[in-house]
């Protein structure tokens, strides 16, 4: 299960201020963009001393800085004003689109990127940002088309390179995804997010050694990158190195005790090491934080089953199935627990349902046949 990760930071277009040449003390649109400075700049526009683009640029710059401080509403106020002053300012439309996308107001964001592209069709960041918006909307075809358009304009456009690789990964085109991340990281080698994303692709491909190398490099760049540490722990776990996995999950939980991914992954690792009480404690904490975490119920159920507390195991597997009725693992595990208490009717029903969901599963088919024999 790959941890959800962010795309690389969007690169913004820088636009030089334009205006009438003035002495240093006569540049009202070239000082810090506080309210008083903007008021002086507005007055200068009215008098004809500077162009509307000077004021729009000042508002745009303040809007960008406000967005960097995560005040999206404040950023939108300035960006709206910049566009009102100069409706031909493509970069302001682009920045407003980014703010709207971050608020998940996707249709309005798309409209702003459309406007930016009409005003400046040669700028690669605009279709790249529109592609990212389509991707967040899960429209991968439109996203890929925009990333391709951006890369035709600029083959080194990083938002598009990373975005296209992410689309390939989402489509399970793992070799293409890895090639895409390779191209981006050749330009941007110290991008921890890009390294972790490539590691995810290696992990999904089963190349755990290469995944661990990328996760480790991402952590060298950013030691507090929790998603990379959880990813590395997962790769260690898949290789059977449960001690290293537990160490990575524990490092994450030392910083954030409420990280449910680290909790239920560590619970699964504890089950594999035979530390069932620790597994139950982690899974219980995960469930307290997220009562709909089906993985935590499954892990706690497994720990109870290993302790031969089959009633508690069945209760947990049933809770996992309440959250996800088509969880084949939970159905199979509950079937085994029913077998242990010789409730072959319920065991058979669980195996039959699991086999219907996964008809090629030979082990489930064999368990169903043996259980039915015991019922005779």
């Amino acid at each position: 299960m790959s941890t959800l990760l962010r795309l690389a930071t969007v690169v913004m277009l820088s636009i030089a201020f334009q205006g009438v040449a003035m002495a240093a003390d006569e540049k009202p649109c070239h000082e810090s963009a506080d309210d008083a400075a903007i008021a002086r700049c507005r007055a200068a526009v009215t008098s004809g001393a500077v162009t509307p683009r000077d004021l729009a640029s000042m508002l745009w710059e303040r809007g960008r800085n406000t967005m960097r401080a995560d005040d999206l509403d404040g950023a939108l106020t300035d960006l709206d004003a910049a566009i009102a002053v100069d409706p031909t300012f493509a970069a302001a439309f682009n920045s407003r689109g980014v703010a709207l996308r971050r608020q998940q107001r996707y249709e309005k964001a798309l409209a702003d990127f459309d406007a930016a592209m009409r005003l400046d069709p040669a700028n690669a960041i605009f279709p790249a940002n529109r592609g990212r918006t389509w991707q967040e909307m899960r429209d991968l075809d439109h996203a890929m088309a925009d990333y391709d358009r951006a890369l035709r304009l600029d083959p080194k456009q990083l938002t598009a390179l990373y975005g296209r690789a992410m689309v390939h990964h989402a489509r399970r085109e793992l070799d293409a995804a890895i090639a895409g991340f390779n191209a981006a990281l050749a330009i941007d080698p110290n991008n921890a997010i890009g390294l972790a994303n490539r590691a995810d692709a290696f992990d999904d491909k089963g190349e755990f050694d290469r995944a661990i190398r990328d996760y480790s490099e991402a952590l060298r760049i950013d030691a507090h990158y929790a998603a990379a540490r959880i990813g590395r722990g997962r790769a260690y776990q898949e290789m059977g190195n449960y001690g290293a996995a537990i160490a990575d999950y524990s490092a994450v939980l030392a910083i954030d005790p409420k990280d449910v991914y680290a909790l239920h992954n560590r619970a699964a690792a504890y089950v594999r090491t035979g530390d069932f009480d620790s597994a139950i404690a982690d899974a219980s904490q995960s469930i307290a934080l997220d009562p709909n975490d089906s993985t935590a119920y499954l892990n706690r159920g497994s720990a109870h089953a290993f302790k031969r507390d089959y009633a508690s195991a069945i209760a947990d597997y049933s809770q996992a199935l309440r959250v996800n009725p088509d969880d084949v693992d939970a159905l199979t595990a509950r079937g085994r627990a029913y077998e242990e208490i010789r409730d072959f009717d319920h065991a058979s029903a669980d195996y039959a349902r699991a086999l219907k969901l996964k008809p090629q599963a030979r082990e489930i088919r064999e368990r169903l046949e043996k259980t039915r024999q015991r019922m005779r």
Side-chain angles (χ1 to χ4, degrees), residues 188-235:
D188 187 31
N190 292 315
N191 190 308
I193 294 169
L195 286 161
N197 281 332
R198 186 173 67 180
D200 282 345
F202 281 130
D203 185 88
D204 285 349
K205 199 178 175 188
E207 297 184 18
F208 304 125
D209 286 337
R210 298 179 76 177
I212 287 167
R213 283 200 296 272
D214 271 353
Y215 288 132
S216 297
E217 181 63 12
L219 288 165
R220 183 192 65 77
I221 295 165
D222 181 358
H224 299 292
Y225 190 0
R229 197 169 294 279
I230 291 172
R232 189 174 70 175
R234 187 180 61 248

Side-chain angles (χ1 to χ4, degrees), residues 325-347:
D326 294 333
D327 188 330
V328 172
D329 291 335
L331 283 166
T332 306
R334 190 172 69 175
R336 288 198 297 267
Y338 277 131
E339 272 195 87
E340 293 292 339
I341 63 173
R342 303 187 68 77
D343 184 346
F344 300 124
D345 287 339
H346 280 100

Side-chain angles (χ1 to χ4, degrees), residues 267 271 276 279-280 283-284 287 293-320 330 333-334 336-337:
V271 169
F276 305 126
I280 289 168
S284 296
I287 289 165
D293 183 355
S294 62
T295 302
Y297 287 115
L298 185 60
N299 289 334
R300 191 171 70 176
S302 296
H304 283 308
F306 277 113
K307 293 185 73 173
R308 299 184 183 279
D309 181 358
Y310 297 115
S312 295
I314 289 167
D316 274 338
Y317 296 142
S318 298
Q319 284 295 332
R334 190 172 69 175
R336 288 198 297 267

